Amino acid sequence: MEDSAAAPDDVLRLGGRDLRSRLFIGTGKFGSDALIPDVARASGAGVITVALRRVDRSLRGGDVLARIPADMQLLPNTSGARTAAEAVRIARLARAAGCGDWIKIEVISDTRNLLPDGYETARATEILAKEGFVVLPYMSPDLYVARSLAGAGAAAVMPLGAPIGSNRGLATKELIAILIAEIPLPVIVDAGIGRPSHACEAMEMGAAACLVNTAIATARQPVAMARAFGLAVAAGRLAFLAGPGRVLRDGARASSPEEDSLTGFLPLEERQA
Amino acid sequence: MTALQDGFFPRLARSEALLGLLEQAQALDVRRSLAADRLDERDFLILLSPAAEPFLEETAQRAREETIRHFGRTVQLFTPLYLANVCTNRCVYCGFNARRGVARRVLTLEQVAEEAEAIAATGLRRILALTGDAPARTGADYLAACVEVLARRFTSVGIEVPSMTVEEYSRVREAGADGMTMFQETYNETLYSSLHPAGPKRNFAFRLDAPQRAILGGMRSINLGALLGLDDWRRDIFFTGLHADFLQRRYPEQEISVSLPRLRPCGALSRSPEELAFTPRPVQDRHFVQALVALRCFLPQAGITLSTRESASLRDRLIPLGVTRVSAGVSTAVGGHAAEESKENGASQFDISDPRSVDEMVAAIEALGYQPVFTDWLLPGRDDLPPGIRAALGQDNFYYSDFR
């Protein structure tokens, strides 16, 4: 994509990098890894996640890493880990295998719903952050877990919008809004985003970025969908920066820009009466 | 060798009462079940009923959609490795039946290493090691030794062997196996007795609990199946699905998958009277498809394996409907990968229908718009690195402990 940044000076600073696009993409579920370079280009994304368990550099032409554009930030993930110890080992393996210092922690021990285990994730985060990793933990949008992760040295938190692969969108919207308001780290919405409009909405809310994999990889035309997501994320970000009006639950309200100061002419004592 | 207190048997017995639904289900029930957000056991049974046959296309559409959502357009590849065919059982449908006059072999560890070498050279990283049932010669000690050899070559080593105790599973797990496949053959206990006239396998309950004992022994991925063609397929698929569901709920951290092995001929040599008395109940293709798509709708997250018991053309058509793992480059003969002569001496467990090599299978999967996946598994509990990562590091002897 030409320029996926919403505004010229708007960058997401993460792990010592300035990211112009706030879309992160994945490498799983594609019918062919050969699509990855085109998807990456069309999306404009600067960060791409890859499951270390899928990496096999000894395969002829089958190495997913070889498909990733060199200028993208690689974000290996610990998919397959069921405990903190396993996630830590996979992260160290990723570093040893030349995948860099960024790590997305996924600790999942429920194969029915694929929900992340917050306690184990926090333990792994603490260990890896101390070892100098840029730790991006995948989590359920729980305020207390998010605080633990922040305290443990996470570089961002990655709450799920809906169960992984469900394409249900921002089913956890209210909880994500709380994280955005309370957690002093970038909040990157990960999982569940099924359509560009979902990603756009997350960005309008003030999310720092979105990670989208299934919705792109399983679209009929993944490259076109990648571009749609890139645009949607940029649009949502631009809207957030532009300061959207409040959404009212009941009835309408005058749209006059003076609405907040309608009684501003009164002396303070009278306003409080 | 008593049944586990909290095993699957009580659920199996309780669910028998539901089987009447197979005959009672109407088109309206099928529509309702197909529209359910998450299928329960009744919905599953309804999708297996004759009433669901006219809805095969709708069910297939849902199955395909669920599969793509959870697995994307990817298919894992593996191959079976027959370690031995000595067997003390007399399963009336099996080519390794103790009374069959076939050549018997037990691979030495050197031969296992040769087989592993030959298979690894095709690019495969996932293997399933099989033996017959001969505890004295190919019991847990032998198996653990073989697994240790295989674990050096493959990122995932599964076993498909006779039922073992928790301690035995644990030993094999320590040796480097992470997966266990167990076909109950049939969930019909009466029929099971008549099909298994002699040998340790006669114990229905001990086999039924084997997957759970394997989990207790530390096995991480469990694959279940019933041999289709022994009993009424609807019934056996129903219980296979329930068994998987039972294990998934009880051990949510485990990876539970299912296979749909369909009975194949196994050579025509020297049949005993008990073998001749066995009448298979063949499963037609359309029923086989119904079984597959119903399983997928009931267990959206479960892996589904399809072996070379099915023909190349059928396998290619079934992949989009929910299959997530296929075998390739298969030999069902002991030592059939490294040595040419074992391929021809007739001592195979069953006749395969899809002889495609790994390269041919890869090409076929890619032609479908799917991605063949060789490795999607790291065994973090093991000390040596998976071969693909080792290659990345350019080191042959790199251990986790080096950077602990």
Side-chain angles (χ1 to χ4, degrees):
Chain A
M1 234 165 70
E2 324 73 52
D3 185 1
S4 49
D9 301 330
D10 178 49
V11 292
L12 171 59
R13 185 151 297 166
L14 200 59
R17 271 187 85 136
D18 285 342
L19 301 166
R20 291 183 60 73
S21 167
R22 289 169 179 269
L23 173 62
F24 293 17
I25 59 172
T27 51
K29 301 186 178 177
F30 283 99
S32 165
D33 281 349
L35 283 166
I36 290 173
D38 288 343
V39 162
R41 207 169 305 117
S43 71
V47 180
I48 187 163
T49 188
V50 59
L52 194 71
R53 62 175 171 162
R54 286 279 308 279
V55 173
D56 186 344
R57 311 200 84 166
S58 61
L59 286 179
R60 316 148 292 190
D63 177 18
V64 61
L65 293 181
R67 310 280 191 182
I68 295 175
D71 57 340
M72 288 188 93
Q73 172 65 46
L74 189 62
L75 176 59
N77 67 60
T78 65
S79 164
R82 294 187 303 186
T83 63
E86 291 179 359
V88 166
R89 280 181 150 183
I90 294 173
R92 291 173 180 164
L93 253 183
R95 181 188 258 172
C99 295
D101 284 338
W102 287 38
I103 189 79
K104 179 185 161 197
I105 300 191
E106 281 183 45
V107 180
I108 294 177
S109 52
D110 182 308
T111 56
R112 288 178 64 79
N113 302 287
L114 301 176
L115 292 173
D117 182 330
Y119 302 106
E120 294 291 310
T121 302
R123 285 177 50 207
T125 298
E126 186 167 7
I127 295 168
L128 294 170
K130 280 189 187 139
E131 294 180 11
F133 282 92
V134 175
V135 183
L136 306 179
Y138 171 57
M139 62 172 306
S140 288
D142 178 284
L143 178 61
Y144 298 92
V145 171
R147 283 188 179 137
S148 306
L149 293 169
V157 292
M158 303 185 82
L160 57 91
I164 210 163
S166 72
N167 288 349
R168 292 221 169 118
L170 297 177
T172 61
K173 189 176 171 185
E174 305 287 334
L175 300 173
I176 288 177
I178 291 171
L179 298 193
I180 291 172
E182 302 295 334
I183 301 297
L185 291 176
V187 173
I188 301 169
V189 178
D190 181 3
I193 293 176
R195 293 168 194 281
S197 54
H198 300 150
C200 188
E201 187 180 7
M203 297 308 296
E204 286 173 6
M205 286 166 58
C210 288
L211 192 153
V212 181
N213 180 43
T214 305
I216 293 175
T218 66
R220 209 170 310 143
Q221 294 181 40
V223 176
M225 190 58 88
R227 179 167 157 77
F229 269 103
L231 293 167
V233 165
R237 178 64 184 174
L238 194 55
F240 171 74
L241 294 174
R246 270 203 304 146
V247 177
L248 301 176
R249 285 173 199 280
D250 307 302
R253 214 161 146 184
S255 59
S256 157
E258 278 87 29
E259 68 171 292
D260 285 340
S261 59
L262 285 178
T263 57
F265 63 93
L266 292 171
L268 194 60
E269 314 78 63
E270 291 182 42
R271 262 187 285 160
Q272 285 173 341
Chain B
M1 285 215 187
T2 49
L4 288 174
Q5 289 292 311
D6 57 348
F8 177 58
F9 192 77
R11 170 101 183 263
L12 170 66
R14 203 168 59 240
S15 302
E16 300 249 358
L18 286 175
L19 289 171
L21 255 183
L22 280 177
E23 295 311 318
Q24 292 150 15
Q26 306 287 319
L28 188 64
D29 301 313
V30 179
R31 283 203 189 91
R32 204 178 292 131
S33 293
L34 264 178
D37 207 32
R38 207 160 183 169
L39 273 60
D40 63 17
E41 61 182 9
R42 295 173 61 89
D43 295 316
F44 178 39
L45 195 54
I46 288 167
L47 291 192
L48 291 171
S49 72
E53 288 177 18
F55 296 88
L56 191 59
E57 180 60 29
E58 285 93 324
T59 317
Q61 293 285 352
R62 176 169 174 159
R64 177 177 173 279
E65 192 266 334
E66 294 271 15
T67 309
I68 289 179
R69 224 148 44 79
H70 294 293
F71 296 89
R73 291 185 178 83
T74 64
V75 186
Q76 291 177 350
L77 289 175
F78 79 104
T79 209
L81 165 53
Y82 282 74
L83 300 172
N85 63 354
V86 287
C87 196
T88 56
N89 290 320
R90 299 216 307 257
C91 316
V92 300
Y93 47 80
C94 179
F96 289 166
N97 179 327
R99 291 196 169 172
R100 284 282 177 105
V102 297
R104 304 286 169 169
R105 280 187 78 186
V106 176
L107 295 186
T108 64
L109 294 184
E110 291 69 36
Q111 288 168 328
V112 172
E114 281 166 26
E115 288 282 288
E117 190 81 28
I119 294 168
T122 65
L124 291 177
R125 293 284 179 267
R126 181 183 272 272
I127 199 159
L128 180 65
L130 296 94
T131 65
D133 196 348
R137 293 187 66 189
T138 61
D141 289 333
Y142 171 76
L143 191 63
C146 292
V147 163
E148 224 174 286
V149 171
L150 296 174
R152 287 183 215 132
R153 274 276 167 210
F154 299 95
T155 53
S156 170
V157 179
I159 53 165
E160 186 177 344
V161 300
S163 315
M164 300 195 296
T165 63
V166 173
E167 294 68 34
E168 288 169 329
Y169 283 121
S170 169
R171 255 175 56 219
V172 178
R173 165 74 181 81
E174 297 282 301
D178 60 283
M180 177 265 202
T181 289
M182 176 57 74
F183 294 162
Q184 183 60 32
E185 317 300 10
T186 176
Y187 286 87
N188 177 338
E189 195 173 356
T190 316
L191 177 65
Y192 185 91
S193 308
S194 71
L195 297 174
H196 305 98
K201 191 170 165 183
R202 267 186 74 74
N203 189 335
F204 179 81
F206 191 65
R207 192 172 185 87
L208 191 68
D209 286 340
Q212 205 169 339
R213 287 195 308 275
I215 291 173
L216 297 173
M219 290 292 179
R220 182 146 166 165
S221 74
I222 300 294
N223 184 32
L224 308 172
L227 185 53
L228 303 176
L230 300 179
D231 194 14
D232 175 6
W233 67 270
R234 299 180 203 271
R235 190 191 146 108
D236 267 336
I237 287 287
F238 177 58
F239 289 121
T240 303
L242 286 197
H243 198 175
D245 180 65
F246 168 82
L247 291 173
Q248 224 178 40
R249 285 175 191 274
R250 182 159 208 91
Y251 305 101
E253 71 280 15
Q254 248 59 31
E255 195 185 299
I256 310 294
S257 56
V258 293
S259 280
L260 291 102
R262 186 155 57 157
L263 192 62
R264 293 278 310 149
C266 48
L269 316 159
S270 64
R271 299 224 167 172
S272 64
E274 62 201 25
E275 287 175 81
L276 290 168
F278 163 61
T279 318
R281 301 182 61 172
V283 182
Q284 293 171 271
D285 282 357
R286 66 191 173 95
H287 288 151
F288 190 69
V289 173
Q290 188 181 354
L292 169 69
V293 297
L295 268 174
R296 168 52 72 224
C297 292
F298 180 56
L299 302 168
Q301 318 268 24
I304 298 184
T305 302
L306 199 58
S307 76
T308 52
R309 291 169 184 269
E310 303 305 328
S311 69
S313 62
L314 188 63
R315 291 221 295 169
D316 289 355
R317 284 165 195 274
L318 294 181
I319 283 173
L321 297 188
V323 174
T324 56
R325 191 181 297 163
V326 296
S327 48
V330 171
S331 164
T332 63
V334 178
H337 292 278
E340 276 303 314
E341 80 272 17
S342 6
K343 286 176 190 164
E344 285 144 27
N345 72 2
S348 55
Q349 192 190 19
F350 58 88
D351 304 341
I352 64 172
S353 306
D354 183 356
R356 285 178 289 183
S357 69
V358 175
D359 285 344
E360 287 167 331
M361 203 63 219
V362 165
I365 291 169
E366 286 176 348
L368 291 170
Y370 279 63
Q371 179 177 188
V373 172
F374 289 84
T375 179
D376 72 339
W377 176 236
L378 280 173
L379 192 56
R382 218 157 68 197
D383 253 7
D384 52 337
L385 286 168
I389 301 290
R390 232 181 286 149
L393 299 167
Q395 283 173 268
D396 274 343
N397 298 303
F398 191 88
Y399 291 89
Y400 278 99
S401 48
D402 291 349
F403 54 95
R404 231 176 243 150

